[in-house]
């Protein structure tokens, strides 16, 4: 299947975005959307509204002719999902309902860590890394998905689990 994929690295403050080419061979960093700080600045409190993000999303879908949304699913090393994964799944349900596009989750373990490492190696300052990290994490997520052949959603497993044999 062809058509651009928009990858979303969801965060409570920043949402990283990346996009593929129409043939789904390459991933490109797009931008970072900043939601703002949680209410009253307290972690654990309700985060800023997503309504402006969905307005931005509508614009990107139209301008880029997006046909699929890929959302990074944060899971633990053993493959289990935690509270953040549940929040991402709620976000994804709203995303699918709002956009009308198919939404696929893909394991995003360590994409932000890898992005930070690559930016650090490039010699960027803290401010420069912060500005780029989330869109680079989205690009890494999307490129991994493309290289895996754009698979249908499968539950993530433990990192140390033996591979299944045919």
């Amino acid at each position: 299947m062809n058509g651009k994929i928009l990858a979303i690295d969801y965060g409570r403050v920043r949402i990283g975005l990346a996009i593929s080419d129409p043939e789904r061979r390459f991933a490109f960093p797009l931008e970072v959307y900043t939601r703002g700080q949680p209410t009253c600045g307290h972690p654990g409190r309700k985060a800023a509204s997503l309504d402006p993000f969905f307005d931005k999303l509508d614009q990107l879908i139209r301008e880029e002719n997006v046909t699929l949304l890929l959302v990074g699913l944060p899971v633990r090393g053993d493959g289990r999902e935690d509270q953040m994964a549940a929040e991402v799944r709620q976000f994804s349900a709203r995303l699918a309902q709002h956009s009308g596009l198919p939404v696929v989750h893909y394991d995003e373990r360590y994409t932000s860590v890898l992005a930070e490492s690559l930016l650090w190696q490039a010699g960027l300052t803290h401010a420069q890394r912060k500005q780029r990290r989330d869109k680079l994490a989205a690009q890494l997520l999307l490129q991994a998905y493309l290289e895996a052949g754009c698979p249908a959603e499968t539950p993530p497993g433990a990192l140390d689990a033996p591979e299944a044999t045919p």
Side-chain angles (χ1 to χ4, degrees), residues 161-166:
E163 290 188 32
T165 55

Side-chain angles (χ1 to χ4, degrees), residues 24 33 52 58 63 68 70 72 79 100 116 126 131 153-154 159:
R24 298 183 175 183
Y33 178 82
D58 290 340
E63 290 175 359
L68 177 74
L70 177 70
E116 178 70 19
H126 173 74
Q131 182 182 18
E153 189 163 335
T154 57
L159 291 177

Side-chain angles (χ1 to χ4, degrees), residues 75-81 109-110 156-160:
V75 292
R76 302 170 141 212
D78 62 7
R80 290 184 299 141
E81 296 183 17
R109 276 180 275 198
Y110 308 114
L159 291 177
D160 60 354

